[in-house]
Amino acid sequence: MKFRQLLTFVFLMCGVLSANAQLVAKATDVANGDSVSSNAASVSQETIGFGGKHNRIKMDYNFGWFISKILDKKGDSHRGMFGTGLSVSYEHVFRAGYGFGLHGILERSGSLIGGSKELITGYIGPSFVYAKSINSWTYGYSIGIGYGRYSLDSYRFYHEDRSGLGTLVQIEGEKRLTKWLGIGAGLRILNITVEKPEGFEGLRYGTGSLRFTIGPRFYF
């Protein structure tokens, strides 16, 4: 009787140890980036920053709309002009996922309504950055403040070339293809506020844009 009890206890302990060994093996495979069988439970691996990397360079094509109101010479308002542009950014995050960045942005409209010229905006400045990675995906946001400038030129509107305070807010997500290369997309709002001209009664004078961004990511 005692022998059977001992044998049962041995088999039970072997089963527990075997199950524990399988769990350890699966965790090791995930940590090493090895694939596991389709029947195994999925395990999310969370890493710091950009998949374990602390630096990222982003090169983006942007497209969207100028959401600020533009008044022509007759006093009629126009909003929602479509435009495209380019941007490049460098970002660094520390172990907690927080960090800083530097952004350079160029945006332009096509032909303005009733005119053959264009609206061009530019921005350069630092930002506060947060990024977090789960498996091969990274998501985060950036909030920046810096130098902004815009140039508006159209015979129906007027000519204006002014500079002031630029602010941006951007959210984004990206897929890492290798340890050093990925592709990402996001949504960005960029505002440029300048000094009000004499006689202007509004709360704010400047430009604002809503843009979608997409482009490659380089990690190091």
Coordinates of all heavy atoms in Angstrom, one line a residue, residues 28-72:
T28 N 11.4 30.9 -22.5 CA 12.8 31.1 -23.0 C 12.7 31.3 -24.5 O 13.4 32.2 -25.1 CB 13.7 29.9 -22.7 OG1 13.7 29.7 -21.3 CG2 15.1 30.1 -23.2
D29 N 11.9 30.5 -25.2 CA 11.7 30.7 -26.7 C 11.2 32.1 -27.0 O 11.7 32.7 -27.9 CB 10.8 29.6 -27.2 CG 11.4 28.2 -27.2 OD1 12.6 28.2 -27.1 OD2 10.6 27.3 -27.3
V30 N 10.2 32.6 -26.3 CA 9.7 33.9 -26.5 C 10.7 35.0 -26.3 O 10.9 35.9 -27.1 CB 8.4 34.1 -25.7 CG1 8.0 35.6 -25.8 CG2 7.3 33.2 -26.1
A31 N 11.5 34.8 -25.2 CA 12.5 35.8 -24.9 C 13.6 35.9 -25.9 O 14.2 36.9 -26.2 CB 13.1 35.6 -23.5
N32 N 13.9 34.7 -26.5 CA 14.9 34.6 -27.5 C 14.4 34.9 -28.9 O 15.2 34.9 -29.9 CB 15.6 33.2 -27.5 CG 16.4 33.0 -26.3 OD1 16.9 33.9 -25.6 ND2 16.5 31.7 -25.9
G33 N 13.1 35.2 -29.1 CA 12.6 35.5 -30.4 C 12.3 34.2 -31.2 O 12.0 34.3 -32.4
D34 N 12.3 33.0 -30.6 CA 12.0 31.8 -31.3 C 10.5 31.6 -31.4 O 9.8 31.9 -30.5 CB 12.7 30.6 -30.6 CG 14.2 30.8 -30.5 OD1 14.8 31.4 -31.5 OD2 14.8 30.3 -29.6
S35 N 10.1 31.0 -32.5 CA 8.7 30.7 -32.7 C 8.3 29.5 -31.8 O 9.1 28.6 -31.6 CB 8.4 30.4 -34.2 OG 9.1 29.3 -34.6
V36 N 7.0 29.5 -31.4 CA 6.5 28.3 -30.7 C 5.4 27.7 -31.5 O 4.9 28.3 -32.5 CB 6.0 28.8 -29.3 CG1 7.1 29.3 -28.4 CG2 4.9 29.8 -29.4
S37 N 4.9 26.6 -31.1 CA 3.9 25.9 -31.9 C 2.6 26.6 -31.8 O 2.3 27.4 -30.9 CB 3.7 24.5 -31.3 OG 3.1 24.5 -30.1
S38 N 1.7 26.4 -32.9 CA 0.5 27.1 -32.9 C -0.5 26.7 -31.8 O -1.4 27.5 -31.5 CB -0.2 26.8 -34.3 OG -0.4 25.4 -34.4
N39 N -0.2 25.6 -31.2 CA -1.1 25.2 -30.1 C -0.7 25.8 -28.7 O -1.4 25.7 -27.7 CB -1.1 23.6 -29.9 CG -1.7 23.0 -31.1 OD1 -2.6 23.5 -31.7 ND2 -1.2 21.8 -31.5
A40 N 0.5 26.4 -28.7 CA 1.0 27.0 -27.5 C 0.2 28.3 -27.2 O -0.2 29.0 -28.1 CB 2.5 27.3 -27.6
A41 N 0.1 28.7 -25.9 CA -0.5 29.9 -25.6 C 0.3 31.1 -26.0 O 1.5 31.1 -25.9 CB -0.8 30.0 -24.1
S42 N -0.3 32.1 -26.6 CA 0.5 33.3 -27.0 C 0.9 34.1 -25.8 O 0.2 34.3 -24.9 CB -0.4 34.2 -27.9 OG -1.5 34.6 -27.2
V43 N 2.2 34.6 -25.9 CA 2.8 35.4 -24.8 C 3.2 36.7 -25.4 O 3.9 36.7 -26.4 CB 4.0 34.6 -24.2 CG1 4.6 35.5 -23.1 CG2 3.5 33.3 -23.7
S44 N 2.7 37.8 -24.8 CA 3.1 39.1 -25.3 C 4.4 39.5 -24.6 O 4.5 39.5 -23.4 CB 2.0 40.2 -25.0 OG 0.8 39.9 -25.7
Q45 N 5.4 39.9 -25.4 CA 6.7 40.3 -24.9 C 6.8 41.8 -25.0 O 6.7 42.4 -26.1 CB 7.8 39.7 -25.7 CG 9.2 40.0 -25.2 CD 10.3 39.5 -26.0 OE1 10.1 39.0 -27.1 NE2 11.6 39.6 -25.6
E46 N 6.9 42.5 -23.9 CA 6.9 43.9 -23.8 C 8.3 44.4 -23.6 O 9.1 43.9 -22.8 CB 6.1 44.4 -22.6 CG 5.7 45.8 -22.6 CD 4.8 46.2 -21.5 OE1 3.6 45.7 -21.6 OE2 5.2 46.9 -20.6
T47 N 8.8 45.3 -24.5 CA 10.1 45.8 -24.4 C 10.1 47.3 -24.4 O 9.1 48.0 -24.6 CB 10.9 45.4 -25.7 OG1 10.2 45.7 -26.9 CG2 11.2 43.9 -25.7
I48 N 11.3 47.9 -24.1 CA 11.4 49.3 -23.9 C 11.6 50.0 -25.2 O 12.3 49.5 -26.1 CB 12.6 49.6 -22.9 CG1 12.4 48.9 -21.6 CG2 12.8 51.1 -22.7 CD1 13.6 48.8 -20.7
G49 N 11.0 51.2 -25.3 CA 11.3 52.0 -26.5 C 10.9 51.4 -27.8 O 9.8 50.9 -28.0
F50 N 11.9 51.4 -28.7 CA 11.6 51.0 -30.1 C 12.1 49.5 -30.2 O 13.1 49.2 -30.9 CB 12.4 51.9 -31.0 CG 12.2 53.3 -30.7 CD1 13.3 54.1 -30.4 CD2 11.0 53.9 -30.7 CE1 13.2 55.5 -30.1 CE2 10.8 55.3 -30.4 CZ 11.9 56.0 -30.1
G51 N 11.4 48.6 -29.6 CA 11.8 47.2 -29.7 C 13.1 46.9 -29.0 O 13.9 46.0 -29.4
G52 N 13.4 47.6 -27.9 CA 14.7 47.5 -27.2 C 15.7 48.5 -27.7 O 16.7 48.7 -27.0
K53 N 15.5 49.2 -28.8 CA 16.5 50.2 -29.2 C 16.0 51.6 -28.6 O 14.9 51.8 -28.3 CB 16.4 50.3 -30.8 CG 16.8 49.1 -31.5 CD 18.2 48.7 -31.2 CE 18.6 47.4 -32.0 NZ 20.0 47.0 -31.8
H54 N 17.0 52.4 -28.5 CA 16.7 53.7 -27.8 C 16.7 54.9 -28.8 O 16.3 56.0 -28.4 CB 17.8 54.0 -26.7 CG 17.7 53.0 -25.6 ND1 16.8 53.2 -24.5 CD2 18.3 51.9 -25.3 CE1 17.0 52.2 -23.6 NE2 17.8 51.4 -24.1
N55 N 17.1 54.7 -30.0 CA 17.1 55.8 -31.0 C 16.3 55.4 -32.2 O 16.3 54.3 -32.6 CB 18.5 56.1 -31.4 CG 19.4 56.6 -30.2 OD1 19.3 57.7 -29.8 ND2 20.1 55.6 -29.6
R56 N 15.6 56.5 -32.8 CA 14.8 56.2 -34.0 C 14.9 57.5 -34.9 O 14.8 58.6 -34.4 CB 13.4 56.0 -33.6 CG 12.4 55.9 -34.8 CD 11.0 55.5 -34.3 NE 10.4 56.5 -33.5 CZ 9.2 56.4 -33.0 NH1 8.5 55.3 -33.1 NH2 8.6 57.4 -32.3
I57 N 15.1 57.2 -36.2 CA 14.9 58.3 -37.2 C 13.7 58.0 -38.0 O 13.5 56.8 -38.5 CB 16.2 58.3 -38.1 CG1 17.4 58.8 -37.3 CG2 16.0 59.3 -39.3 CD1 18.7 58.8 -38.1
K58 N 12.8 59.0 -38.2 CA 11.6 58.8 -39.0 C 11.6 59.7 -40.2 O 12.0 60.9 -40.1 CB 10.4 59.2 -38.1 CG 10.3 58.4 -36.8 CD 8.9 58.7 -36.1 CE 8.8 60.2 -35.8 NZ 7.6 60.5 -35.1
M59 N 11.3 59.2 -41.3 CA 11.1 60.0 -42.5 C 9.7 59.7 -43.1 O 9.3 58.6 -43.4 CB 12.2 59.5 -43.6 CG 13.6 59.7 -43.1 SD 14.8 59.1 -44.3 CE 14.6 60.4 -45.6
D60 N 8.9 60.8 -43.1 CA 7.5 60.7 -43.4 C 7.0 61.5 -44.6 O 7.5 62.6 -44.8 CB 6.6 61.1 -42.2 CG 6.6 60.0 -41.1 OD1 6.4 58.8 -41.5 OD2 6.8 60.3 -40.0
Y61 N 6.1 60.9 -45.3 CA 5.3 61.7 -46.3 C 4.0 62.0 -45.6 O 3.4 61.1 -44.9 CB 5.0 60.8 -47.5 CG 4.0 61.4 -48.5 CD1 4.3 62.4 -49.4 CD2 2.7 60.9 -48.5 CE1 3.4 62.9 -50.3 CE2 1.8 61.4 -49.4 CZ 2.1 62.4 -50.3 OH 1.2 62.9 -51.1
N62 N 3.5 63.3 -45.7 CA 2.3 63.6 -45.0 C 1.3 64.2 -46.0 O 1.6 64.8 -47.0 CB 2.6 64.6 -43.8 CG 3.1 66.0 -44.3 OD1 2.4 66.7 -45.0 ND2 4.3 66.3 -44.0
F63 N 0.0 63.9 -45.7 CA -1.1 64.5 -46.5 C -2.3 64.7 -45.6 O -2.5 64.0 -44.6 CB -1.4 63.5 -47.6 CG -1.9 62.1 -47.1 CD1 -3.2 61.8 -46.9 CD2 -0.9 61.1 -46.8 CE1 -3.6 60.5 -46.5 CE2 -1.3 59.9 -46.3 CZ -2.6 59.6 -46.2
G64 N -3.0 65.8 -45.9 CA -4.2 66.1 -45.1 C -4.7 67.5 -45.5 O -4.5 68.0 -46.6
W65 N -5.2 68.2 -44.5 CA -5.9 69.4 -44.7 C -5.4 70.6 -43.8 O -5.1 70.3 -42.7 CB -7.4 69.2 -44.5 CG -8.0 68.2 -45.4 CD1 -8.6 68.4 -46.6 CD2 -8.0 66.8 -45.2 NE1 -8.9 67.2 -47.2 CE2 -8.6 66.2 -46.3 CE3 -7.6 66.0 -44.1 CZ2 -8.8 64.8 -46.4 CZ3 -7.8 64.6 -44.3 CH2 -8.4 64.1 -45.4
F66 N -5.5 71.8 -44.3 CA -5.3 73.0 -43.5 C -6.7 73.3 -42.9 O -7.6 73.6 -43.6 CB -4.8 74.1 -44.4 CG -3.4 74.0 -44.7 CD1 -3.0 73.6 -46.0 CD2 -2.4 74.4 -43.8 CE1 -1.6 73.5 -46.3 CE2 -1.0 74.3 -44.1 CZ -0.7 73.8 -45.4
I67 N -6.8 73.1 -41.6 CA -8.1 73.3 -40.9 C -8.3 74.7 -40.4 O -9.4 75.0 -39.9 CB -8.2 72.3 -39.8 CG1 -7.0 72.5 -38.8 CG2 -8.2 70.9 -40.3 CD1 -7.1 71.6 -37.6
S68 N -7.3 75.6 -40.6 CA -7.5 77.0 -40.2 C -8.4 77.7 -41.3 O -8.4 77.3 -42.4 CB -6.2 77.7 -40.0 OG -5.4 77.5 -41.2
K69 N -9.1 78.7 -40.8 CA -9.9 79.5 -41.7 C -9.1 80.6 -42.4 O -8.3 81.3 -41.8 CB -11.0 80.2 -40.9 CG -12.0 81.0 -41.8 CD -12.9 81.8 -40.9 CE -13.8 80.9 -40.0 NZ -14.7 81.7 -39.2
I70 N -9.2 80.7 -43.7 CA -8.5 81.7 -44.5 C -9.5 82.7 -45.1 O -10.4 82.2 -45.8 CB -7.6 81.1 -45.6 CG1 -6.5 80.2 -44.9 CG2 -6.9 82.1 -46.5 CD1 -5.7 79.5 -45.9
L71 N -9.3 83.9 -44.9 CA -10.2 85.0 -45.5 C -9.6 85.5 -46.8 O -8.4 85.9 -46.8 CB -10.4 86.1 -44.5 CG -11.1 85.7 -43.2 CD1 -11.2 86.9 -42.3 CD2 -12.5 85.1 -43.4
D72 N -10.4 85.6 -47.8 CA -9.9 86.2 -49.1 C -10.2 87.7 -49.0 O -10.7 88.3 -48.0 CB -10.6 85.6 -50.3 CG -12.1 85.8 -50.3 OD1 -12.6 86.7 -49.6 OD2 -12.7 85.0 -51.0

